[in-house]
Amino acid sequence: MTIKEIRKSRWFKFFSNIYVLVLTLFVIWMLFFDTNSWWFTHRELNNEIKKLQQQKIHLQKEIANDKRILKNLKSKEDLEKYAREKYYLKKDGEEIYLIEYQDSINKD
C-alpha cells in the first residue's frame, strides 16, 4: 500500500477527523490523567475496601472474644475473679500484693 492509498482509505479518514482525535484525547485524559480519573479513583476505592475488610475481620474477632468473656461472667464467682484479675479490685479488709518479675514488666 502506498501513502496515497492509505490516505484514501475509510479508516484513515475516520481517525484523522479532528472530532475523533479530540474525543479520543479527551477520553484518554479522563480515564487516566484527571484527578477524578477512573483508574486513580478505582485504585483508591479498592485500597479502602481492603482496609475495611481487614477492619471487619478484626472487629468480628473482638466481638467473638467479648461474647466468650460475657458468657463466662454469668456467675458471681467468675465475675469476681475477672474483676480481681483485670481491675485489681478487692473486698473490704483485704490487701493485694502484685509481684512482678523483671521479664514481665513492659518497658513502654
Side-chain angles (χ1 to χ4, degrees), residues 2 5 8 13-14 20 22 24 31-32 34 36 38-39 55 62 64 68 71 81 84 88 94 100:
T2 65
E5 291 174 350
K8 288 184 181 181
K13 288 181 182 181
F14 177 75
V20 172
V22 169
T24 304
L31 285 177
F32 299 106
D34 192 44
N36 296 320
W38 173 80
W39 180 73
Q55 184 180 6
E62 289 290 321
R68 183 183 50 80
K71 185 178 178 183
K81 180 183 173 187
R84 287 174 182 260
Y88 307 114
E94 284 185 339
E100 294 180 351

Side-chain angles (χ1 to χ4, degrees), residues 6-57:
I6 292 174
R7 286 186 177 172
K8 288 184 181 181
S9 73
R10 190 174 122 197
W11 291 107
F12 181 79
K13 288 181 182 181
F14 177 75
F15 286 115
S16 65
N17 186 338
I18 189 73
Y19 296 112
V20 172
L21 290 173
V22 169
L23 180 65
T24 304
L25 289 174
F26 176 75
V27 168
I28 291 172
W29 180 263
M30 294 306 288
L31 285 177
F32 299 106
F33 300 115
D34 192 44
T35 56
N36 296 320
S37 69
W38 173 80
W39 180 73
F40 184 70
T41 307
H42 219 35
R43 188 178 55 176
E44 282 183 352
L45 291 175
N46 283 338
N47 289 338
E48 180 94 14
I49 288 170
K50 287 178 186 176
K51 286 180 192 175
L52 290 173
Q53 287 173 343
Q54 290 173 352
Q55 184 180 6
K56 178 184 172 185
I57 291 169

Side-chain angles (χ1 to χ4, degrees), residues 67-80:
K67 284 182 181 180
R68 183 183 50 80
I69 290 171
L70 284 174
K71 185 178 178 183
N72 291 338
L73 295 178
K74 296 242 178 184
S75 68
K76 186 176 179 180
E77 294 83 25
D78 292 333
L79 183 62
E80 186 175 317

